[in-house]
């Protein structure tokens, strides 16, 4: 919950905008500022104060306890120009909150945490348990000192400016080791503990067995991701309580699924009891991985038969592939989600000219794998291969990566052994349409005139179908020096079904500094003025040129008048 505090009418107006945008996340505190801040500090995880920073500092000072538990606090100035992360930038999430508030209110986010200001990921913000000299190692990263990153378990971390060797170390490990004086240990959730239990097995017996198995194997309890068992034991009190005390979820599997998992120590007892020859080992291995601790039984002090079994497996970290659309070129048309994914990646794969557009957004230490035109399949294979090695990869394309871009070849190459995230982008057709007016107001289609990957006969059939269906058409890749006849041919096909006065929009380098556009007519367009940096949008029989803009009606009754458009109420 985010507490909202203001003291003036201007602050209250901005406060109310946040409250309206985030009704389920926010709580407005009325009354005096001091009383409101004290109440919100005690009751909320985060605060946004529409007050002077000095006033908030004085109000907060007596309330501060520990940076691990204090709420994150963001201050917004009276003019709504800046959203300042004042307290709890990392632990309290104030840095990210400042960015969110800034995006919503049009304020510039100001983060004061050193790592964020330098574009480095905070070692305490990676979502992993950590131990050791976080401040010292972070300072070494900021000072450019050599810091070694040792990943004993592959995991898709963001980029870190690592060196092969250094006086400081960041080590990713699930082993039960203590950090060195100049070392940070990151604990990946790589361990799965499979458990089985007889009816009524005490929680202490289950938990004691798990802790003993981890301790004797030299494994860290902080890397346990889940307890796993068979469905029949999903409500067994001892198992449920053990998972709760470990602070991990309990995952269950149907007995037939566990019966299909190859294990080293099958047994007839669980087969007779729950329908699978293995519970502990099979549940630990059900999601894949390597068995580190074979099945073992609990030992009871009174000599009675054991009531619990467990096994431990290491599940390798799944690589992450984000397929990111960069939009048409303008930085303000690059989505916040795309920016976040670029900063989340440790490996970037892309066309060299697209990499140049966003190189300044990458974190220090990002490995860039760039190539020239015509290597789409190679880039797709490279991105998937890097993700399979356990890295966090961003594969970039212009516009939307799923439209004539990299998503298709990448996903054709990928299998279910990696996580894939798609990040949409503003397409060239959409960017051009916004410049031209509203040419895509009704049904429309995009057709690439490049026959490098699609036979011309297929392209021609698609153009004819669009012409006969009276659909607005946007042509991608319309004309190059080596392909100068396809656009005239496509326009001739459309001209067989549309009036020569049909509006046609021509936009070159949409949203970029050298953008140019014009609206002409189907019978007047000179294909020689078009190149590969251009998109051509041909209207349908209802499209009109109104005040120099292309407008295609949405299907409302169209009024033939130069002064009026479609009537809003006529459907």
């Amino acid at each position: 919950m985010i507490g909202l505090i203001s003291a003036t009418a201007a602050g209250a107006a901005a406060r109310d905008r946040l409250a309206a945008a985030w009704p389920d996340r926010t709580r407005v505190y009325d009354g005096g500022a001091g009383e409101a801040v004290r109440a919100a500090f005690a009751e909320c995880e985060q605060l946004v104060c529409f007050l002077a920073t000095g006033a908030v500092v004085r109000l907060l000072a007596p309330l501060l306890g520990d940076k691990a538990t204090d709420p994150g606090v963001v201050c917004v100035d009276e003019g709504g120009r800046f959203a300042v992360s004042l307290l709890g930038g990392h632990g309290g999430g104030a840095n990210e909150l400042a960015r969110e508030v800034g995006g919503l209110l049009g304020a510039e986010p100001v983060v004061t945490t050193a790592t964020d200001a330098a574009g480095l990921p905070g070692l305490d913000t990676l979502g992993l348990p950590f131990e050791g000299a976080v401040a010292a190692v972070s300072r070494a990263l900021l000072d450019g000192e050599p810091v070694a990153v040792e990943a004993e378990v592959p995991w898709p971390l963001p980029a870190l400016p690592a060196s092969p060797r250094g006086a400081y170390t960041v080590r990713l490990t699930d082993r039960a080791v203590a950090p060195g004086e100049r070392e940070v240990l990151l604990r990946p959730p790589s361990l799965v503990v499979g458990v089985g239990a007889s009816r009524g097995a005490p929680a202490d017996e289950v938990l004691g067995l798990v802790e003993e198995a981890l301790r004797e194997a030299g494994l860290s309890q902080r890397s346990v991701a889940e307890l796993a068992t068979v469905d029949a034991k999903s409500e067994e009190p001892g198992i449920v309580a053990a998972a709760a005390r470990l602070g991990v979820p309990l995952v269950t599997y149907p007995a037939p699924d566990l019966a299909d998992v190859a294990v080293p120590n099958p047994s007839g007892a669980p087969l007779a009891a729950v329908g699978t020859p293995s519970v502990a080992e099979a549940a630990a291995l059900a999601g894949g991985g390597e068995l580190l601790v074979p099945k073992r039984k609990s030992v009871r002090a009174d000599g009675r038969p054991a009531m619990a079994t467990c096994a431990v497996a290491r599940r390798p970290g799944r690589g992450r592939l984000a397929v990111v659309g960069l939009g048409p070129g303008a930085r303000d048309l690059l989505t916040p989600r795309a920016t976040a994914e670029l900063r989340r990646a440790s490996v970037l794969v892309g066309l060299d000219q697209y990499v140049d557009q966003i190189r300044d957004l990458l974190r220090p230490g990002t490995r860039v794998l760039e190539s020239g035109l015509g290597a789409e399949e190679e880039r797709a294979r490279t991105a998937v291969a890097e993700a399979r090695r356990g890295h966090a990869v961003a594969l970039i394309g212009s516009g939307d990566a799923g439209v004539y871009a990299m998503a298709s070849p990448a996903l054709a190459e990928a299998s279910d052994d990696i996580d894939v995230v798609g990040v949409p982008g503003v397409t060239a057709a959409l960017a051009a349409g916004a410049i031209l007016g509203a040419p895509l107001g009704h049904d429309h289609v995009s057709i690439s005139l490049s026959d490098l990957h699609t036979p011309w006969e297929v392209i021609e059939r698609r153009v004819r179908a669009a012409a006969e269906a009276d659909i607005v058409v946007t042509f991608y890749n319309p004309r190059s020096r080596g392909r100068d006849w396809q656009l005239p041919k496509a326009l001739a096909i459309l001209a067989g079904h549309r009036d020569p006065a049909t509006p046609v929009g021509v936009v070159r380098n949409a949203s970029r500094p050298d953008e140019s556009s014009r609206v002409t007519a189907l019978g007047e367009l000179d294909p020689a003025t078009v190149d590969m940096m251009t998109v051509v949008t041909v209207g349908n029989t209802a499209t009109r040129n109104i005040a120099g803009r292309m407008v295609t009606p949405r299907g409302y009754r169209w009024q033939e008048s130069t002064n009026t458009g479609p009537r809003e109420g006529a459907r």
Side-chain angles (χ1 to χ4, degrees), residues 67-68 70 72 88-94 124-125:
K67 70 181 220 176
D70 287 341
H90 284 170
D124 54 350
T125 66

Side-chain angles (χ1 to χ4, degrees), residues 55-84:
V56 177
V57 167
R58 285 189 291 273
L59 291 171
L60 289 177
L63 308 176
L64 299 182
D66 186 277
K67 70 181 220 176
T69 57
D70 287 341
V73 179
V74 170
C75 274
V76 180
D77 67 289
E78 182 76 4
R81 295 172 301 169
F82 302 99
V84 181

Side-chain angles (χ1 to χ4, degrees), residues 174-202:
D174 56 17
R175 295 188 298 114
V177 294
E181 183 180 352
R182 296 183 171 186
E183 184 176 56
V184 170
L185 300 184
L186 300 177
R187 300 296 190 184
S190 54
L191 303 179
V192 178
V193 180
V195 292
S198 302
R199 185 186 302 275

Side-chain angles (χ1 to χ4, degrees), residues 101-189:
V101 171
L104 189 62
L105 299 181
E108 181 178 345
V110 179
V111 296
T112 55
T113 312
T115 50
D116 290 83
L120 295 169
L123 298 175
D124 54 350
T125 66
L126 299 178
L128 301 178
F130 58 89
E131 305 166 31
V134 171
V137 175
S138 297
R139 177 61 183 268
L141 288 169
L142 289 168
D143 290 344
E145 296 187 44
V147 176
V149 176
E150 300 176 359
E152 297 178 4
V153 181
W155 211 262
L157 293 176
L160 289 168
S163 304
R165 289 177 298 277
Y168 297 85
T169 305
V170 176
R171 182 155 42 134
L172 191 75
T173 181
D174 56 17
R175 295 188 298 114
V177 294
E181 183 180 352
R182 296 183 171 186
E183 184 176 56
V184 170
L185 300 184
L186 300 177
R187 300 296 190 184

Side-chain angles (χ1 to χ4, degrees), residues 16 74 227 389 422 503 554:
D16 292 344
V74 170
L227 256 58
R389 294 187 184 102
R554 284 185 53 188

Side-chain angles (χ1 to χ4, degrees), residues 9-413:
R15 175 203 68 192
D16 292 344
R17 287 175 61 190
L18 282 189
W22 299 335
D24 298 328
R25 298 176 60 191
T26 56
R27 180 185 303 162
V28 173
Y29 285 80
D30 294 316
E35 181 182 347
V37 167
R38 286 189 291 272
F41 194 91
E43 298 169 356
C44 297
E45 289 78 23
Q46 295 176 318
L47 282 68
V48 178
C49 300
F50 297 87
L51 306 166
T53 54
V56 177
V57 167
R58 285 189 291 273
L59 291 171
L60 289 177
L63 308 176
L64 299 182
D66 186 277
K67 70 181 220 176
T69 57
D70 287 341
V73 179
V74 170
C75 274
V76 180
D77 67 289
E78 182 76 4
R81 295 172 301 169
F82 302 99
V84 181
S85 172
L86 187 68
L87 177 70
H90 284 170
N95 289 347
E96 183 56 34
L97 180 60
R99 296 185 182 99
E100 287 189 85
V101 171
L104 189 62
L105 299 181
E108 181 178 345
V110 179
V111 296
T112 55
T113 312
T115 50
D116 290 83
L120 295 169
L123 298 175
D124 54 350
T125 66
L126 299 178
L128 301 178
F130 58 89
E131 305 166 31
V134 171
V137 175
S138 297
R139 177 61 183 268
L141 288 169
L142 289 168
D143 290 344
E145 296 187 44
V147 176
V149 176
E150 300 176 359
E152 297 178 4
V153 181
W155 211 262
L157 293 176
L160 289 168
S163 304
R165 289 177 298 277
Y168 297 85
T169 305
V170 176
R171 182 155 42 134
L172 191 75
T173 181
D174 56 17
R175 295 188 298 114
V177 294
E181 183 180 352
R182 296 183 171 186
E183 184 176 56
V184 170
L185 300 184
L186 300 177
R187 300 296 190 184
S190 54
L191 303 179
V192 178
V193 180
V195 292
S198 302
R199 185 186 302 275
D204 287 343
E205 183 171 344
V206 177
L207 185 60
L209 175 62
V210 170
E211 291 174 340
E212 180 183 41
L214 293 169
R215 183 171 58 252
E216 293 186 2
L219 298 172
S220 172
Q221 185 174 309
R222 302 189 78 186
S223 281
V224 175
E226 61 193 46
L227 256 58
T229 190
V230 66
D231 278 353
K233 296 296 179 179
S234 63
E235 296 181 2
E236 183 63 44
I239 295 178
V240 173
R245 284 157 66 174
L246 285 170
V248 299
L250 176 63
V251 177
T252 65
Y253 297 94
D257 291 356
L258 295 185
D260 290 338
V261 178
V263 297
N265 300 294
S267 171
L271 179 61
V274 294
T276 172
S278 172
V279 174
E281 289 180 340
L285 291 169
E290 169 193 8
L291 190 64
L292 302 181
V293 179
K295 181 179 73 173
R296 56 188 295 164
K297 297 180 180 180
S298 56
V299 177
R300 311 190 80 183
D302 57 9
R304 287 184 296 168
M307 297 188 73
T309 60
C310 84
V312 183
R314 175 182 287 137
R315 187 177 297 172
R318 289 169 62 87
R320 189 174 191 276
L321 174 62
V323 187
V324 181
L326 300 180
R331 179 56 61 84
D332 60 354
L333 293 182
L334 177 70
T335 68
R337 187 179 300 179
T339 300
E341 286 296 342
L342 294 175
R343 298 180 65 76
R344 170 75 174 76
S346 61
V347 180
L348 182 83
V349 181
L351 180 67
D352 48 13
Q353 57 186 288
Y354 298 154
V355 172
D356 288 341
Q357 291 179 22
I358 48 83
R359 199 182 297 271
D360 63 301
L361 297 177
L362 304 179
R363 290 193 187 276
T366 304
R367 185 156 50 95
V368 177
L369 304 175
E370 54 189 310
S371 52
L373 288 167
E376 289 85 359
E377 288 80 5
E378 177 188 346
R379 285 194 290 275
R381 286 192 295 269
T382 297
V384 171
E386 291 291 334
R388 284 180 175 146
R389 294 187 184 102
H391 298 303
V393 182
L395 174 63
I396 59 174
S398 66
D400 183 283
V403 179
Y404 302 123
M406 294 305 303
S408 179
L411 298 191
E413 185 75 21

